[in-house]
Amino acid sequence: AKAHGMNKLFITCKESNSASKKIIEKLGAIYEESVKIPKNCPFYSGEMESCCVYSLSLATGKYCQGN
């Protein structure tokens, strides 16, 4: 992502997936919001639960390139 000039990543997981949420938070990502997948999204499949959206800054490089 940094090689493409990105300075922030957005990471998502299901609201019920507490293990993923813990890992994402340990990486230093910040919780932004919970959202429902829109019906016109290619990933939509019937009644889907909400997703948590996190942002992770790449400015520090702490978790990039094996650091």
Side-chain angles (χ1 to χ4, degrees), residues 17-38:
N17 192 336
S18 59
S20 288
K21 291 193 307 190
K22 284 180 185 178
I23 290 170
I24 292 167
E25 290 167 2
K26 279 190 173 190
L27 287 173
I30 306 297
Y31 173 81
E32 298 286 340
E33 64 182 328
S34 289
V35 297
K36 289 204 175 257
I37 304 294

Side-chain angles (χ1 to χ4, degrees), residues 9-13 20 24 27 29-30 33 52-56:
L9 290 178
F10 288 95
I11 305 168
T12 63
C13 68
S20 288
I24 292 167
L27 287 173
I30 306 297
E33 64 182 328
C52 294
V53 179
Y54 294 84
S55 64
L56 179 64

